[in-house]
Amino acid sequence: MKTFLLAFGATAAALIAFAPAASQTSALKGHNSNAPVDVAADRIEVQDRADRAVFSGNVVVRQAELTLTAPRLTVAYSNSGGIEIDRIDGSGGVTVKSPSETASGQFAIYDIESRLITLIGNVHLIRGDSNVNGGRLVINLRDGTAVMDGGAPAGVKSQGGRVTGTFTVPQRRD
């Protein structure tokens, strides 16, 4: 069975690397994507004919040092000799945390096959005292890059089409 990795630690290298106070090493470098995935929710509805499971109510997903929380999570899977997760969608306000970073947005999509995580709608990425805000964040787990842009799809709240950020700088003595 495929397990899923909701890693956004690579975003630090791509988005906050130019902030002197931020480390350029991803907090999830070496993350064990084969680690067991634990899911807790108030309710689960298995839609076997649609190859989908819907978790709702205080959903918490943990894998190694990674945690995802959302009010609702849909898991699309294939069932060919065993359950294999293909895609995970979170909605209602999603937060993804690693030991040193937190990303949040209205929606999250993790496409297992393409190894892309997308957060959409009022996206916030925080690492230490530095933060970046925008409408959409796409994290490519294959090459460790991340792209934040200001726009979000029609009907999804965003930051007015702009990316904004606040970054810490080292304190110097005069």
Side-chain angles (χ1 to χ4, degrees), residues 39-45 53-61 68-74 89-96 104-108:
V39 181
D42 294 338
R43 183 173 192 271
I44 181 174
E45 176 184 332
V54 179
F55 297 86
S56 58
N58 303 307
V59 182
V60 178
V61 177
L68 176 137
T69 58
R72 180 180 167 97
L73 187 79
T74 302
D89 298 343
S91 62
V94 182
T95 301
V96 180
S104 62
Q106 292 176 328
F107 305 96

Side-chain angles (χ1 to χ4, degrees), residues 83-94:
I83 305 262
E84 291 188 8
I85 298 171
D86 298 320
R87 179 177 160 145
I88 299 159
D89 298 343
S91 62
V94 182

Side-chain angles (χ1 to χ4, degrees), residues 124-137:
H124 305 284
L125 173 63
I126 300 167
R127 183 173 194 184
D129 292 331
S130 299
N131 66 77
V132 180
N133 305 293
R136 181 177 66 168
L137 172 64

Side-chain angles (χ1 to χ4, degrees), residues 8 35 38 83 88 109 118 137 156:
F8 69 95
D38 297 317
I83 305 262
I88 299 159
I109 302 163
T118 305
L137 172 64
V156 177

